[in-house]
Amino acid sequence: MKKDEFKKLYNQEVLKRNKKPYNFDADEEADVVIEAYNPLCGDKFNLYLNKEDSDIKSAHFHGFGCALSKASTSLLMELIEGRNKTEKVEKCHTYLEAEDSGSSKRLQNEVQKVFAEMKNFEGRVDCVTLSWKALYDKMKNDED
Amino acid sequence: MKNIKDRFPIFKSHPDLIYLDNAATTQRVDKVDDLLDEFNRKDNATIHRGVYELSAKATARYEQVRSKVAGFLGSDNPNTIAFTKGTTESINVVAHSFIKKRLRAGDNIVVTVMEHHANFVPWQALCKEMGCELRVASLTPEGSIDTLAFERLVDKKTKMVAITHISNVLGTINPIEQLIETAHAQGAPVLVDAAQGAALYDLDVTKLNYDFLAFSAHKLFGPFGVGILYVNPEYMGDMQPYTLGGGIIQSVSANEVTFQSYPFNLDAGTPNVSGVLGLGAAIDFLNELNRAECISHTHELANRCVVELARVKGIRILGGTQMQRSGIVSFALENIHPHDVSSYLNGDGIAVRAGLHCAQPLHYFMKEPSTIRISFSIYNADNEIDILIDSIKSLKKFWEQ
Ligand SMILES: Cc1ncc(COP(=O)(O)O)c(C=O)c1O
């Protein structure tokens, strides 16, 4: 990765969220705690979700990871708070699909589009999908 | 160390590359490349199979490398040396082909908390399987083995002591001579993981008296996929085959099999002939070097790197200034994750390693979730430290904007 590419990847949306992540604290009382862990690099976040009926009342996270995984987890928390389960699954699904295909067409959120672009940076996709995958897998398993 | 860089073809393809990941793998020296190329084009044949000329020649050369490696370790018995896939396999061979049948429930194996997973997990798994205790020696806050604590761990129930010569994260050079003495006083055999030290440091068996030694050709400017295992003649008779198949058989019938003896009982299947010959060329290169000069070169680079890094605000360097350090320096930067650091440095042509370096127990012990590792070799130069430090400073500026 060249320097200008680095600066494109570590853009304002990433740096902003890395510095001031959304709801970055450990909510030990949470209804659901999901671990997002990448054993290859050691990045590990806990996602703390509080539910009200089937809605996510609050979403917090805490842990250790690179700027990309931290910022993308922060974005995930911003986007799922106040959503119900179906919306949440759908959100994760379209996002992961976008990361998979490299096409951000189906994404409505502008910031999410920025993250989907990261597909083009070799070796860093795992960072921006870490927590999304963990949440998606957990929700899917719960359905079974 | 002038002109040594010219011996490494990679730097012709990447003239601006600042390669600081030598603890992971070193670059390949021209001699090794030339030999592999020539063997592949002109001499390719497998060993111990055909009586035709090419095979006979390959066999002779392969066996010559065994002698060469033995000589490199100060042994005059070539049959102390077995070839494996790497340090990892050499250690697993000792765990399964030697120590397993000696273990009884209640015995223990002693390792240190600074071990690479390769010299930790095989012992941990074996202890679990056999109902034995894995005793993990602790470190001083400086990052050296706490030798008094180590002494207390080794007792009559200790069936193996497995220690690294040099930590692949801290760079600590362990006093293995002393540790080996401690182990032997209790009758415990010692395996030394020499992956990080074998290239430059003197590991003469007649001085150090280890029982097993493991290292990899790819960390000595040689090829991938070749490992070395040294076994003390006293234990050679106890070494059982590791993988079963052809190439290690004395005789086999429908009901019975007998095997050749060590080291020929470890060569099951077609061995990595070209790789072993490449290892031979790498050892020839090491024998050409003034290794003492190489060691002081890498130590000076690492020491200066520590001094320069320590001036950068918000940096934490693993290990202290008092410990014996090889060419390895690991650190963490406040508020910037190691992967982000290595991605940025890469933009300046600097190759470093970020993460846990296959040493999670050590990272837990040091309370660092992840680190950046700089590791120097003979072709690195002083000005590369300047470029590294400038790059770290400019990253900090970019990050804090
Ligand atoms: C201290 C140490 N032990 C063991 C190993 C494993 O070596 P290999 O991957 O060649 O088997 C390494 C290399 O990463 C190492 O640094």
Side-chain angles (χ1 to χ4, degrees), chain B residues 88-346:
Chain B
T88 304
E89 193 179 57
S90 294
I91 295 169
N92 275 279
V93 165
V94 177
H96 291 277
S97 299
F98 172 73
I99 197 66
K100 189 170 171 180
K101 66 177 185 306
R102 298 181 158 223
L103 286 177
R104 301 285 171 269
D107 289 342
N108 67 73
I109 291 175
V110 176
V111 297
T112 80
V113 76
M114 67 164 80
E115 299 310 316
H116 186 282
H117 294 165
N119 199 30
F120 196 94
V121 182
W123 308 117
Q124 186 184 54
L126 194 60
C127 284
K128 282 226 164 84
E129 185 187 337
M130 307 301 290
C132 298
E133 183 191 353
L134 183 73
R135 296 186 173 171
V136 184
S138 187
L139 310 182
T140 66
E142 276 270 315
S144 307
I145 290 180
D146 183 340
T147 46
L148 286 178
F150 178 84
E151 268 174 36
R152 285 193 295 272
L153 290 184
V154 184
D155 60 23
K156 292 285 179 223
K157 290 263 182 197
T158 304
K159 289 295 150 69
M160 183 61 134
V161 170
I163 44 174
T164 194
H165 167 226
I166 294 177
S167 156
N168 69 315
V169 177
L170 303 166
T172 319
I173 305 173
N174 290 319
I176 48 171
E177 206 170 343
Q178 182 191 344
L179 302 174
I180 290 168
E181 241 171 64
T182 304
H184 283 175
Q186 299 292 337
V190 181
L191 176 138
V192 175
D193 174 352
Q196 290 299 334
L200 302 182
Y201 298 80
D202 185 10
L203 293 171
D204 191 315
V205 67
T206 60
K207 293 180 200 147
L208 295 172
N209 210 16
Y210 45 78
D211 302 292
F212 301 90
L213 189 85
F215 59 103
S216 301
H218 72 95
K219 294 185 205 270
L220 338 151
F221 317 114
F224 284 130
V226 182
I228 299 93
L229 172 64
Y230 166 91
V231 175
N232 182 331
E234 189 183 329
Y235 296 122
M236 276 163 44
D238 297 336
M239 298 295 295
Q240 300 297 311
Y242 180 66
T243 314
L244 303 184
I248 58 170
I249 302 297
Q250 189 84 267
S251 75
V252 61
S253 67
N255 301 317
E256 290 300 330
V257 58
T258 53
F259 297 104
Q260 299 189 35
S261 52
Y262 179 88
F264 305 102
N265 61 1
L266 290 181
D267 271 346
T270 305
N272 184 353
V273 179
S274 56
V276 167
L277 300 190
L279 162 68
I283 299 227
D284 288 341
F285 173 69
L286 297 178
N287 287 332
E288 277 171 37
L289 294 172
N290 176 339
R291 288 163 94 206
E293 191 189 345
C294 294
I295 291 174
S296 42
H297 177 71
T298 50
H299 285 199
E300 274 164 27
L301 289 174
N303 289 340
R304 172 156 176 248
C305 189
V306 168
V307 170
E308 299 285 347
L309 283 173
R311 293 203 181 109
V312 178
K313 233 178 100 189
I315 229 163
R316 294 187 302 278
I317 298 167
L318 263 64
T321 46
Q322 298 307 308
M323 69 177 207
Q324 268 267 45
R325 185 190 287 279
S326 69
I328 297 173
V329 184
S330 294
F331 66 94
L333 262 179
E334 191 82 23
N335 294 329
I336 316 181
H337 186 280
H339 270 110
D340 301 325
V341 178
S342 68
S343 279
Y344 190 87
L345 295 179
N346 179 63

Side-chain angles (χ1 to χ4, degrees), chain A residues 1 3 10 41 43 67 124, chain B residues 337 339-340 343-344 346 348:
Chain A
M1 199 191 309
K3 228 16 155 353
Y10 288 78
C41 62
D43 283 8
R124 300 307 294 268
Chain B
H337 186 280
H339 270 110
D340 301 325
S343 279
Y344 190 87
N346 179 63
D348 283 331

